[in-house]
Amino acid sequence: MSQPTAPAPEDLATLAVKTLKFLAIDGVEKAFSGHPGLPMGAADMAFVLWSRYLRHDPADPHWADRDRFVLSPGHGSMLLYALLHLSGYDLTLDDLKSFRQWGSRTPGHPEAHLTPGVECTTGPLGQGFANGVGMALAAQMTQANYPGLYHHRIWGIVSDGDMMEGISHEAASLAGHLQLGNLVYLYDDNKITLDGALGDTMSEDVAARFAAYGWHVQRVDGHDHAAIAAAIDGAVAQGVKPSLILCRTHIGNGAPNKHDTHKVHGEPLGPTEMEATRKALGWPTDKTFWVPDAVKALWHTRAEAMASEHAAWRAHELRWMAEHPGLSERYVSTRDRVVPTDLLAQLAAAAPAQTDATRSLAGAIEQRVAELVPSFAGGDADLGGSTKTPIKASGKISATDFSGRNIRFGIREHAMGAIANGMALYGHHIPFTATFLTFSDYMRPAIRLAALTGTRVIHVFTHDSIFLGEDGPTHQAVEHVAALRLIPNVDVWRPADAVECAAAWAGAIQRTDGPSEIVLSRQKVAMPTSPTRPGDAARGGYVRVRESGGAPDVVFLATGSETGLAEEAARVLKAEGLRVRVVSMPCIEVFARQDGDYRASVLPPQGVRVSVEAGRTDGWWRWVGEHGLPIGIDGFGASAPAEVLAEKYGLTAKQVAGRVREFLGR
Amino acid sequence: MSQPTAPAPEDLATLAVKTLKFLAIDGVEKAFSGHPGLPMGAADMAFVLWSRYLRHDPADPHWADRDRFVLSPGHGSMLLYALLHLSGYDLTLDDLKSFRQWGSRTPGHPEAHLTPGVECTTGPLGQGFANGVGMALAAQMTQANYPGLYHHRIWGIVSDGDMMEGISHEAASLAGHLQLGNLVYLYDDNKITLDGALGDTMSEDVAARFAAYGWHVQRVDGHDHAAIAAAIDGAVAQGVKPSLILCRTHIGNGAPNKHDTHKVHGEPLGPTEMEATRKALGWPTDKTFWVPDAVKALWHTRAEAMASEHAAWRAHELRWMAEHPGLSERYVSTRDRVVPTDLLAQLAAAAPAQTDATRSLAGAIEQRVAELVPSFAGGDADLGGSTKTPIKASGKISATDFSGRNIRFGIREHAMGAIANGMALYGHHIPFTATFLTFSDYMRPAIRLAALTGTRVIHVFTHDSIFLGEDGPTHQAVEHVAALRLIPNVDVWRPADAVECAAAWAGAIQRTDGPSEIVLSRQKVAMPTSPTRPGDAARGGYVRVRESGGAPDVVFLATGSETGLAEEAARVLKAEGLRVRVVSMPCIEVFARQDGDYRASVLPPQGVRVSVEAGRTDGWWRWVGEHGLPIGIDGFGASAPAEVLAEKYGLTAKQVAGRVREFLGR
């Protein structure tokens, strides 16, 4: 790690901070929409951090050894955009002037996939906090495996809202447990929320709380540059604990009438207060989006220094690779997240020949994923024994050993999701998480952000229906598969057998532009009537059992454990002389992306379509049509053994065949 | 409050604790499924609490002045069932023997709607913790409004898993802020989780953390009855802070080989260890589900004492009502959650005549709800200025004044949902919550439990589509309306105008068997072409604009802000000579519950059906049929002004009319 740059002369620092404030004020004012208060209050700490500590190269936002910066309160986005612009990222003044407009790279809240230099998408509070923990964890894991190569840190600004959200507790507790000494958060402690004074809703001692988590905690005046720098130096110097610096700030600092009030939180200052602020801070009233030359020069100097750092590191990387011939290949493979092109074939070859619960089948195949894909790592929320996801050949991550690939997230599903997002955004990792399907509800905000950001994260969800049995309706997923399918840009796999499990893993690993869910049964599934072909399964939907003698009377569409059920019901109906096709649909989204000819070859116009899935039927109408029959479960489950539930909920082969017969009027 | 009962003689206490342990062991063993570890480890603290402190009347589980007990780690359900049976609730030994079986009242995790004496449904960790906070808050509010009438407390057992979940942070922070001195939690500090040692995943100092929240914190040996009792006495004596008693326990206490290991957490002891445990504790090996007579007598004595308490309170209630004639009527009205039978008409009369955003229209009508329904109370997650939900005629709840009806939950959506559940389960309240629709994802586990338990809670969600505009896709709901509709037993209202807002409020308030969501726009909606009739709106779907001259060519189905859009598109198409009907569907679930004749009168077989809703279309296929046209948004939104987004996403009247025209091939 480099030494901090010397502080700028006081006058220049003051000018630079004002520039940040007015870029934010002007951006919000021009958009007639936004949050000026946070940028104004946090400009000092952001200036100190970005001008002296943050090690990055604006010319290459993907430099692997860069520091990461997270703005967890994403509503302060104009501060981040101003910093990126001034630092020299590919973000112009015109971009700043297009704040919150259609097609701009400066949306209301920062979006990682849109804007160079934005490390993660933030806005929903608490997510950024946990993303940063994920980045710090990923950095520790990478540094443990490739010692001496990287020297970066994870920095962030966090807010009252982050502190109140439960996810901050989960992430902070785990960060303290794992002693992530490479993580430094500046807490914008401004005592104001959108609706009023923080004291109206919160009176906890945040410093004591974080000390209880095992964090290094300091308090400073958030407008005193020397104090902020000293605290950052202190955080870095101790180096073994994650660090929280409580920066007492004044929201809207500089606005003579609105500062320290919630009026400056979520709306433009307005012309009158903007004028008053310009006067109070001695800023030209006839210029907007103005950057004084001295401030430009300051950031330019910083960018040049950073370019040198980057160049030096490039040389260091080459040297390191030469000195570590044994590690280099694996290093490049993880850095570039290399995946074998024949992954599907290799995983299909590893598919168990005997059937079992899909959680067990997928767990066995996952071991092969871990062998073939070195950047694959992850863990579970205290259910590894049940989800079958721990990587057997690898060790557990702990505060004293980050070299393994198994992360024990604890009973912290929401943070698990957001930490996995942070790991994926950090790079070097294709992360996975695992828990019961019903707890996907706890993770939903994180899954949504992975989808929005196009982040490759894999969520394994087991115990995927009422057929988990005795644990009862609190633990029985009914609506969750359908609800996951509703989030845009999510692939939801619910495999029916070992080969489909292989296809799910291959699809999830090879997909680079969004998250995949792998949904698995607790109970054993049936063996397919004839062997599943990997290429079929990989198309998301295929003919599993073909009718004989003319167009089908009935076309079953099924997923997961109900595919075997549909096959069995088909046998009953075939014996009665019906022509029955069974279509397996392990991933509706992938199937929907196939060309029309293929889709029509799987789902012909003839025949009554019957979907069978042990969950909500709502989404199936699209596929069965208004004259079709969706069979599923539209209410809650119950506590009883699985075989009893099958009977009670009409999901035995005999009952399904009976319903189809009745529906056909036979 | 009554004085604690004197402790039982030591021999008898030991026998009673063993009885609890073996009822749990035998129940789990018979079911071949369950969690014996927690009941064995927590039997001591549960015995002390239930035999000496818990003030309740097993003969009347609904006694208003009873103490509430929450078992937050619901997987320890056999402990609760054993306590309920022994205490004298209507739960027999045969019920205990049916643990986890179809139709039993002893499901895998406790379900409040099934089993007398179970105050809330628990299992998904952290929910019970926050439910208890909601009960304690509701009790403070009730006691502030009806001073001197009630004297109960809220007790609970909480676990490691609860402590790790983020929701416990949110709820504990708020409980500390509000100084809920009537709440006492015993923390089963057993250092073991399902997958192994707690120390593998957590090392925070829980005592220091809770002290930071403003809780009263004590530590005791969780198997030392005198120490537990002393700590409870201490918690009660201080009286002004919520109290956490860390009880150091040994999971599976009494099992000679498996105690203190995770092997005893989630599966039966097995015959060998069960035998060994019987021997070690001197319990008959030839008896299962055995309750020694002395133990029966102990609980019988307790029940008699409690019956006397209850009878005394009944007399006290009558005296109190006589002494407080002014308060009595309101007391009965809140206690019984009385709702005017003509609520719909009264709310419709209060509907603003001018149009506005539905959040503003609903907010205005809500003020009338507050006047008419005294048990109505709730709050928002720091967005009251935007959701328009605060009750104007009432004050804010604070640690020093619980007499108001507005709760400021802080930026704690998940706890807000679970606290509202707790308030509703406590009684006396019809609670509401409010935040942006996108944050419904943060609350989903709590909404699900309200639905499962059949709890009347009202969730107001505003800013319900991409039309919130500049805040961008992180804040723009796309899939959320559809995702809420997937949870069984939830009514989702998305009103289109003031009268539909009145119908939504009336429906939500009058529904007694589950939660209702009221989903509202940020932006202004159109005035209806002709005045909406309240009775139509209350049916969940109705003909808003009727075609003229024969069967319709086109039937629009729309909700919320898109109903006006459909009306405008209909005008365009009518001008071109088409016969167009517009059906407004403010609540699909309520519409689906109407009789078939009515539904057919609204949705005739003729005409192409076109749904218009600014969100995922998946659920609409059921209503438009495979030859219909669902218009919506199946990807993420973007940051831009609302009117720009309407154009870009094809949701102007001209564009919608054009798509219909194209679809009809004209």
Side-chain angles (χ1 to χ4, degrees):
Chain A
M1 195 159 353
S2 55
Q3 289 301 307
T5 310
E10 200 176 319
D11 286 1
L12 182 53
T14 305
L15 195 67
V17 167
K18 287 181 192 171
T19 306
L20 284 171
K21 289 181 181 175
F22 282 100
L23 284 176
I25 290 170
D26 292 346
V28 170
E29 209 68 25
K30 184 162 191 300
F32 292 113
S33 166
H35 300 71
L38 186 143
M40 297 174 73
D44 289 298
M45 62 173 99
F47 172 72
V48 172
L49 179 61
W50 280 61
S51 69
R52 299 188 53 200
Y53 294 90
L54 191 73
R55 184 169 168 271
H56 61 143
D57 181 3
D60 181 3
H62 301 292
W63 172 24
D65 193 26
R66 72 190 184 281
D67 285 358
R68 270 72 166 177
F69 173 79
V70 172
L71 180 70
S72 190
H75 56 269
S77 55
M78 267 308 299
L79 174 64
L80 180 55
Y81 300 145
L83 288 162
L84 292 170
H85 166 68
L86 293 170
S87 295
Y89 282 86
D90 177 21
L91 199 70
T92 65
L93 272 184
D94 281 341
D95 286 321
L96 267 57
K97 290 175 187 170
S98 311
F99 182 51
R100 294 182 159 234
Q101 303 308 306
W102 177 261
S104 82
R105 297 194 296 172
T106 48
H109 294 80
E111 299 178 37
H113 54 295
L114 278 187
T115 313
V118 173
E119 299 283 359
C120 58
T121 300
T122 53
L125 291 165
Q127 298 293 328
F129 188 108
N131 292 161
V133 171
M135 293 176 189
L137 172 58
Q140 295 277 26
M141 291 168 70
T142 308
Q143 289 168 22
N145 282 293
Y146 309 108
L149 180 59
Y150 286 155
H151 300 90
H152 50 266
R153 307 195 156 269
I154 315 301
W155 310 89
I157 291 178
V158 301
S159 67
D160 300 321
D162 297 304
M163 292 305 183
M164 283 198 251
E165 291 286 2
I167 190 174
S168 74
H169 158 63
E170 297 179 8
S173 181
L174 187 62
H177 176 71
L178 292 177
Q179 295 282 282
L180 301 178
N182 56 344
L183 180 67
V184 180
Y185 279 163
L186 304 173
Y187 169 29
D188 179 28
D189 187 12
N190 64 26
K191 314 281 186 206
I192 297 291
T193 69
L194 192 61
D195 265 357
L198 180 66
D200 289 354
T201 53
M202 178 165 133
S203 44
E204 73 189 47
D205 180 342
V206 173
R209 174 183 153 212
F210 275 73
Y213 293 140
W215 285 51
H216 180 258
V217 179
Q218 304 171 82
R219 283 177 196 274
V220 296
D221 173 347
H223 302 301
D224 178 338
H225 292 204
I228 296 166
I232 292 176
D233 291 337
V236 169
Q238 61 84 29
V240 293
K241 295 178 175 186
S243 198
L244 185 73
I245 303 172
L246 293 90
C247 300
R248 179 68 177 97
T249 59
H250 300 276
I251 193 169
N253 187 39
N257 306 303
K258 292 192 173 175
H259 83 118
D260 267 345
T261 74
H262 70 105
K263 287 179 190 144
V264 82
H265 192 297
E267 50 192 68
L269 290 185
T272 312
E273 183 73 358
M274 193 173 64
E275 282 306 284
T277 307
R278 284 187 135 78
K279 276 189 195 144
L281 296 183
W283 201 252
T285 52
D286 59 343
K287 288 175 177 158
T288 58
F289 294 98
W290 179 55
V291 182
D293 288 341
V295 173
K296 279 184 200 161
L298 179 155
W299 289 107
H300 184 70
T301 305
R302 177 80 190 159
E304 283 188 330
M306 293 294 99
S308 304
E309 287 262 356
H310 185 182
W313 182 81
R314 289 267 175 225
H316 167 71
E317 184 192 33
L318 290 177
R319 226 167 25 241
W320 184 92
M321 288 173 72
E323 285 165 8
H324 300 81
L327 279 177
S328 281
E329 196 181 341
R330 192 176 175 91
Y331 162 63
V332 172
S333 177
T334 59
R335 187 194 62 191
D336 301 343
R337 289 184 266 201
V338 172
V339 174
T341 49
D342 64 344
L343 184 65
L344 175 61
Q346 295 215 49
L347 296 183
Q354 300 299 314
T355 194
D356 202 335
T358 54
R359 62 177 165 143
S360 301
L361 300 170
I365 293 162
E366 186 202 338
Q367 306 306 317
R368 186 77 181 124
V369 173
E371 288 168 18
L372 296 168
V373 184
S375 49
F376 180 76
D380 60 84
D382 198 50
L383 285 170
S386 299
T387 60
K388 313 280 186 194
T389 44
I391 301 171
K392 290 176 189 157
S394 192
K396 286 176 197 166
I397 301 288
S398 73
T400 52
D401 184 359
F402 287 94
S403 67
R405 295 160 76 182
N406 290 303
I407 303 163
R408 297 202 52 201
F409 287 102
I411 304 166
R412 303 180 179 105
E413 297 86 2
H414 196 178
M416 175 170 74
I419 288 170
N421 289 351
M423 292 174 66
L425 290 162
Y426 170 87
H428 267 283
H429 292 90
I430 299 177
F432 74 92
T433 67
T435 185
F436 288 177
L437 179 56
T438 193
F439 302 134
S440 61
D441 276 351
Y442 280 71
M443 300 172 62
R444 215 169 151 83
I447 297 171
R448 183 173 210 261
L449 282 183
L452 173 61
T453 315
T455 308
R456 175 167 43 180
V457 181
I458 301 164
H459 307 110
V460 178
F461 293 118
T462 67
H463 296 62
D464 69 348
S465 73
I466 61 162
F467 295 123
L468 68 80
E470 292 89 342
D471 271 347
T474 53
H475 287 54
Q476 290 169 353
V478 167
E479 72 276 26
H480 300 79
V481 171
L484 288 170
R485 288 182 184 136
L486 287 176
I487 305 175
N489 195 33
V490 172
D491 281 1
V492 181
W493 290 89
R494 188 165 184 259
D497 60 31
V499 171
E500 288 192 8
C501 286
W505 272 115
I509 293 280
Q510 289 178 318
R511 177 170 197 226
T512 57
D513 60 353
S516 299
E517 322 299 301
I518 301 181
V519 175
L520 303 166
S521 73
R522 179 194 183 204
Q523 80 281 16
K524 194 186 269 204
V525 294
M527 281 296 280
T529 310
S530 55
T532 305
R533 288 182 302 190
D536 283 348
R539 300 190 82 161
Y542 63 96
V543 180
R544 192 170 169 100
V545 178
R546 198 170 290 278
E547 68 285 354
S548 51
D553 301 307
V554 175
V555 178
F556 278 112
L557 289 79
T559 77
S561 50
E562 286 69 66
T563 300
L565 172 63
E567 284 192 68
E568 206 181 327
R571 277 193 290 275
V572 174
L573 294 170
K574 279 183 168 185
E576 297 170 9
L578 284 168
R579 292 189 295 269
V580 186
R581 175 180 291 203
V582 178
V583 171
S584 184
M585 291 272 265
C587 184
I588 291 180
E589 296 76 23
V590 168
F591 178 70
R593 292 199 292 268
Q594 304 299 310
D595 63 71
D597 285 351
Y598 177 74
R599 290 204 311 271
S601 76
V602 174
L603 296 178
Q606 303 90 345
V608 168
R609 294 189 192 161
V610 180
S611 67
V612 193
E613 184 175 75
R616 287 289 298 220
T617 56
D618 306 48
W620 283 103
W621 288 98
R622 173 179 177 193
W623 300 98
V624 301
E626 64 185 317
H627 305 297
L629 173 64
I631 295 180
I633 298 173
D634 287 315
F636 288 106
S639 173
E643 54 281 9
V644 176
L645 293 172
E647 185 81 31
K648 297 292 181 184
Y649 283 85
L651 290 176
T652 66
K654 200 176 146 190
Q655 288 168 308
V656 168
R659 280 198 60 188
V660 173
R661 201 183 298 116
E662 187 185 11
F663 191 76
L664 294 173
R666 290 166 72 105
Chain B
M1 192 159 355
S2 53
Q3 290 301 307
T5 311
E10 197 174 320
D11 285 1
L12 181 54
T14 304
L15 196 67
V17 167
K18 286 183 193 171
T19 307
L20 284 172
K21 289 181 182 178
F22 280 99
L23 284 176
I25 291 170
D26 291 345
V28 170
E29 210 67 26
K30 183 162 193 298
F32 292 114
S33 166
H35 299 71
L38 186 143
M40 295 173 74
D44 287 298
M45 61 173 104
F47 172 73
V48 173
L49 179 61
W50 281 61
S51 68
R52 299 189 52 201
Y53 294 91
L54 191 74
R55 184 168 170 272
H56 61 141
D57 181 4
D60 179 4
H62 302 291
W63 173 25
D65 193 27
R66 73 191 182 280
D67 286 357
R68 271 69 167 177
F69 173 80
V70 172
L71 180 72
S72 190
H75 55 270
S77 55
M78 267 309 299
L79 174 63
L80 180 54
Y81 300 144
L83 288 163
L84 291 170
H85 166 69
L86 293 170
S87 295
Y89 282 87
D90 176 20
L91 199 70
T92 65
L93 271 184
D94 280 339
D95 286 319
L96 268 54
K97 290 175 188 169
S98 311
F99 182 50
R100 293 182 160 234
Q101 303 308 306
W102 177 261
S104 82
R105 297 194 296 172
T106 48
H109 294 81
E111 299 178 35
H113 53 295
L114 278 187
T115 313
V118 173
E119 298 282 0
C120 57
T121 301
T122 53
L125 290 165
Q127 298 294 328
F129 187 108
N131 293 161
V133 170
M135 293 175 190
L137 172 56
Q140 294 278 27
M141 291 168 70
T142 308
Q143 288 169 24
N145 281 292
Y146 309 106
L149 179 60
Y150 285 155
H151 298 91
H152 50 267
R153 306 194 155 270
I154 316 300
W155 309 90
I157 290 178
V158 302
S159 66
D160 299 322
D162 297 303
M163 291 307 183
M164 282 198 252
E165 292 285 3
I167 190 174
S168 74
H169 158 62
E170 298 180 8
S173 181
L174 187 62
H177 176 71
L178 292 177
Q179 296 283 279
L180 302 178
N182 57 343
L183 180 66
V184 180
Y185 279 163
L186 304 174
Y187 168 29
D188 179 30
D189 187 12
N190 64 27
K191 314 281 186 206
I192 297 290
T193 69
L194 193 61
D195 264 358
L198 181 67
D200 289 353
T201 53
M202 179 166 133
S203 46
E204 73 188 47
D205 180 342
V206 172
R209 175 183 153 212
F210 274 73
Y213 293 140
W215 285 50
H216 180 258
V217 179
Q218 302 171 87
R219 284 177 195 276
V220 297
D221 173 347
H223 302 300
D224 178 339
H225 292 203
I228 296 167
I232 292 175
D233 290 337
V236 169
Q238 59 86 30
V240 292
K241 296 179 174 186
S243 198
L244 185 73
I245 303 172
L246 292 90
C247 301
R248 179 69 178 97
T249 59
H250 300 277
I251 193 169
N253 186 40
N257 306 303
K258 292 191 173 178
H259 83 119
D260 268 344
T261 75
H262 70 105
K263 286 179 191 144
V264 80
H265 191 299
E267 50 193 69
L269 290 184
T272 312
E273 183 73 0
M274 193 173 64
E275 281 308 282
T277 307
R278 286 186 133 78
K279 273 187 197 146
L281 296 182
W283 203 252
T285 53
D286 59 344
K287 287 176 179 161
T288 57
F289 296 96
W290 180 56
V291 182
D293 289 339
V295 173
K296 278 184 200 162
L298 179 155
W299 290 108
H300 184 70
T301 306
R302 176 81 191 158
E304 285 188 329
M306 293 294 99
S308 304
E309 287 263 355
H310 185 183
W313 183 83
R314 286 264 177 229
H316 167 71
E317 184 192 33
L318 290 176
R319 221 164 33 237
W320 184 93
M321 288 175 71
E323 286 164 8
H324 299 80
L327 277 177
S328 280
E329 195 181 340
R330 192 175 175 91
Y331 162 63
V332 172
S333 178
T334 60
R335 187 195 63 192
D336 300 343
R337 290 185 267 201
V338 172
V339 174
T341 49
D342 63 345
L343 183 66
L344 175 61
Q346 295 216 50
L347 296 182
Q354 300 299 313
T355 192
D356 202 335
T358 52
R359 62 176 166 145
S360 300
L361 300 171
I365 294 162
E366 187 202 336
Q367 305 307 316
R368 187 78 182 122
V369 173
E371 288 167 19
L372 295 169
V373 184
S375 50
F376 181 74
D380 59 85
D382 198 47
L383 285 170
S386 299
T387 60
K388 313 282 185 193
T389 43
I391 300 171
K392 289 176 189 158
S394 191
K396 288 175 195 166
I397 300 289
S398 74
T400 51
D401 184 359
F402 287 94
S403 67
R405 295 159 76 183
N406 291 302
I407 302 163
R408 295 201 55 200
F409 286 103
I411 305 167
R412 304 181 179 105
E413 296 85 2
H414 197 178
M416 174 169 73
I419 287 170
N421 290 352
M423 291 174 65
L425 290 162
Y426 170 86
H428 266 284
H429 292 90
I430 300 177
F432 73 92
T433 68
T435 185
F436 288 178
L437 179 57
T438 192
F439 302 134
S440 61
D441 276 351
Y442 280 71
M443 300 171 62
R444 216 168 149 83
I447 297 171
R448 184 174 209 262
L449 282 183
L452 173 60
T453 315
T455 308
R456 173 166 45 179
V457 180
I458 301 165
H459 307 109
V460 178
F461 292 119
T462 67
H463 296 63
D464 69 349
S465 73
I466 61 163
F467 295 124
L468 69 78
E470 292 89 342
D471 271 349
T474 52
H475 287 55
Q476 291 169 352
V478 168
E479 72 275 27
H480 300 79
V481 171
L484 288 170
R485 288 181 185 137
L486 286 175
I487 305 174
N489 195 32
V490 172
D491 281 0
V492 181
W493 289 89
R494 189 168 183 256
D497 60 30
V499 171
E500 287 192 9
C501 285
W505 273 116
I509 293 281
Q510 287 178 318
R511 179 172 196 225
T512 56
D513 59 354
S516 298
E517 322 300 299
I518 301 183
V519 175
L520 302 167
S521 73
R522 179 196 181 200
Q523 79 282 14
K524 193 186 267 204
V525 294
M527 281 296 281
T529 308
S530 55
T532 306
R533 288 182 300 191
D536 282 348
R539 300 191 82 160
Y542 63 96
V543 180
R544 189 169 170 100
V545 178
R546 198 170 289 278
E547 68 286 354
S548 50
D553 302 308
V554 176
V555 177
F556 278 111
L557 289 80
T559 76
S561 50
E562 286 70 66
T563 300
L565 173 62
E567 284 193 67
E568 206 182 327
R571 278 193 290 275
V572 174
L573 294 169
K574 279 183 169 185
E576 297 170 9
L578 285 168
R579 292 189 295 269
V580 187
R581 174 179 291 202
V582 179
V583 171
S584 184
M585 289 274 265
C587 185
I588 291 179
E589 296 76 24
V590 168
F591 178 70
R593 290 200 293 266
Q594 303 299 312
D595 63 70
D597 286 349
Y598 178 75
R599 290 204 312 272
S601 75
V602 173
L603 296 177
Q606 303 89 344
V608 168
R609 293 190 194 162
V610 180
S611 66
V612 194
E613 184 174 74
R616 289 288 298 221
T617 56
D618 306 47
W620 283 104
W621 289 97
R622 173 178 176 194
W623 299 99
V624 300
E626 64 185 320
H627 303 299
L629 172 65
I631 295 180
I633 298 173
D634 286 316
F636 288 107
S639 173
E643 53 283 8
V644 175
L645 293 171
E647 186 79 33
K648 299 291 182 185
Y649 283 85
L651 290 176
T652 65
K654 201 177 145 191
Q655 290 168 309
V656 168
R659 280 197 63 187
V660 173
R661 204 182 296 119
E662 188 186 10
F663 191 76
L664 295 174
R666 291 165 70 106

